Amino acid sequence: MAEFTVSVIQVSYGDEEAMADRIERVAGLVRAEAGRDLVVLPELWPVGGFDVAHWEERAQEIPGPGPVEATGLPERRWVEAMSAAAREAGVTLHAGSTVERTAEPGPEGKDLWNTSVVLAPTGDVQAVYRKIHRFGFDSGEARTIEAGSELVTTPLGPFTAHLTTCFDLRFPELFRSGLDAGADLLVLPAAWPLPRVEHWRTLLRARAIENQYPLIGCNTAGTHAKRHEMGGGSLVLDANGDVLAEAGPDQEVLRVSLDPEHTARQREKFPVLASRRW
Ligand SMILES: NC(=O)CCC(=O)C(=O)O
């Protein structure tokens, strides 16, 4: 079976770059990966990452699965720009996440969500995932946005990918549920800060080792809201938790090939999952 080629774009940005400019810049980075099977972007990059004070004004509506309509406005919406970039590059694009505004509020009465989107090479929305575990305890996301409640898997080439986001990484039961739903690949965009970057690396490796699947973790670089320094260190692991590619602290593109047959070989050689009791 052919290898599955992946580009992980660790986007760096600060507060000085306008949202519309960043969207067009990142669309160009995606187009430069033409010919790859999958391109992955980080969490919350369109809205300025941890710049929570601006989320409300930067939130946008996101369509469900299907074609993306153009508004014709001079500033393209995030989802339109990403849809066009996926189509022009001929890639499947995990566009990372942004702050979504919905017409109807969620159970806590808020109309904002941390939502990621996978776009097919046609530019159609293929899958949408709303982050389940909100970061910030009694501030940030936990205060501002609603929590998603649906586990989402989607086909990515020969794999079935479980879509998760950043702080989700600390809740291993979510990943077991993804495995039980048939996932054999994990994709996790993030805005993970520098002070806890060792947690990032350790937990990513734990998730790959315990679930015996390859994993793509795409983090952010740069400093948000003048004080939140992001950790970089995007990581692609195989089903043994071995590092296939790892980024440094700055903007960088990782290019790797995943072997779709490695997982079965690893699980046969070391059949941990066959010893599960529940
Ligand atoms: N964006 C996030 O979810 C940050 C998570 C984080 O900083 C942590 O878990 O630590």
Side-chain angles (χ1 to χ4, degrees), residues 185-205:
L185 173 68
L186 178 71
V187 185
L188 185 134
W192 197 284
L194 184 64
R196 293 184 296 280
V197 82
E198 270 310 309
H199 291 192
W200 161 257
R201 195 172 194 278
T202 304
L203 292 170
L204 284 173
R205 291 202 72 210

Side-chain angles (χ1 to χ4, degrees), residues 43 50 131 135 166-167 170 191-193 196:
E43 181 192 26
F50 269 56
K131 186 179 184 183
F135 182 63
C166 204
F167 190 51
R170 294 188 182 272
W192 197 284
R196 293 184 296 280

Side-chain angles (χ1 to χ4, degrees), residues 22-34:
R22 184 161 50 252
I23 288 173
E24 296 307 325
R25 174 170 72 88
V26 173
L29 296 175
V30 172
R31 284 194 297 272
E33 300 307 306

Side-chain angles (χ1 to χ4, degrees), residues 19 23 44-47 58-69 71 77-83 93-104 111-119 123-131 165:
M19 177 173 170
I23 288 173
L44 292 175
W45 63 268
V47 293
R58 294 174 184 167
Q60 296 183 349
E61 288 185 4
I62 296 177
V68 175
E69 307 297 332
T71 57
R77 286 178 302 156
W78 169 70
V79 73
E80 276 178 71
M82 295 299 104
S83 164
L93 174 62
H94 186 311
S97 79
T98 195
V99 177
E100 176 192 14
R101 173 173 293 106
T102 51
E104 296 296 322
D111 60 358
L112 302 182
W113 313 75
N114 183 339
T115 302
S116 44
V117 168
V118 175
L119 297 143
D124 287 3
V125 172
Q126 173 179 319
V128 174
Y129 167 66
R130 289 183 176 144
K131 186 179 184 183
T165 307

